[in-house]
Amino acid sequence: PFKQTASENNFKSIIIDLRENGGGFTSAAVQIADMFIGKSKTVLQSQSDDDDIYETDEEILYDVPIVVLVNENTASAAEILTALLKQYGDTTLVGMNTFGKGIYQNSGVFNGISVRYTEGKCFVGEWENYHGKGIKPDVEIDMDSDYIGTDNDVQLEKALELLK
């Protein structure tokens, strides 16, 4: 849906709201970033030395200024998208420091019981692993998440101001 929406609209800038976004699939985060950035690499480094590598290509489909809205609940794959756009795109981060989930999980069956366990760490582009630290916004604006999408959404107001 995101790629289709982007292709159907002529825009000169974009705001991506990742506040309260707990993540999702790494592949989806990399695919979205790939539309806005050139070559990059994200590595999910496994404890068993069986790494998963996600790469973007050289082509930039949309070379526009981006503001990414983040807060303390922006985590996991949402942080991967944030890190890729910040490192390789014309991107400003607005909001609060992200959650800091620079690890990923896997699941399996052990003695007939389904278990979920931490498999390894995420390394996005040239950055060190941000687990436990999060990603610091360029413009820090504290705001209660209850105000997201309301007339009191000062983070969104700042994003719009930056893109004028």
Side-chain angles (χ1 to χ4, degrees):
F2 187 90
K3 193 170 188 174
Q4 180 181 348
T5 300
S7 69
E8 293 172 352
N9 291 280
N10 183 19
F11 54 91
K12 295 181 175 139
S13 62
I14 189 168
I15 297 171
I16 299 176
D17 190 348
L18 296 177
R19 298 173 295 179
E20 301 298 310
N21 188 319
F25 293 103
T26 299
S27 58
V30 173
Q31 286 173 358
I32 292 169
D34 195 24
M35 292 187 284
F36 301 98
I37 65 173
K39 191 78 172 147
S40 75
K41 181 168 33 173
T42 299
V43 178
L44 302 185
Q45 188 178 64
S46 172
Q47 295 176 23
S48 65
D49 294 328
D50 188 20
D51 300 344
D52 288 325
I53 299 173
Y54 298 84
E55 295 183 286
T56 57
D57 59 34
E58 294 286 338
E59 183 182 9
I60 299 173
L61 297 177
Y62 306 104
D63 190 9
V64 297
I66 301 168
V67 172
V68 178
L69 298 172
V70 295
N71 69 5
E72 62 278 358
N73 293 318
T74 303
S76 195
E79 285 177 297
I80 290 172
L81 175 57
T82 300
L84 286 169
L85 293 174
K86 179 61 188 164
Q87 287 179 76
Y88 301 105
D90 179 8
T91 303
T92 303
L93 307 181
V94 173
M96 296 301 294
N97 203 72
T98 66
F99 183 81
K101 186 175 183 276
I103 58 174
Y104 68 99
Q105 285 72 42
N106 205 343
S107 59
V109 177
F110 179 73
N111 289 335
I113 300 170
S114 179
V115 294
R116 189 157 182 81
Y117 58 94
T118 298
E119 175 72 20
K121 295 180 178 182
C122 303
F123 293 91
V124 182
E126 304 299 319
W127 284 4
E128 292 182 19
N129 180 270
Y130 48 79
H131 187 70
K133 299 176 218 151
I135 301 169
K136 183 175 173 43
D138 300 299
V139 180
E140 189 172 313
I141 300 176
D142 194 9
M143 183 186 87
D144 189 299
S145 62
D146 290 341
Y147 293 130
I148 293 173
T150 71
D151 289 340
N152 296 318
D153 191 338
V154 293
Q155 294 170 338
L156 178 58
E157 287 177 23
K158 184 63 170 181
L160 291 167
E161 176 188 319
L162 290 169
L163 293 174
K164 284 188 179 182

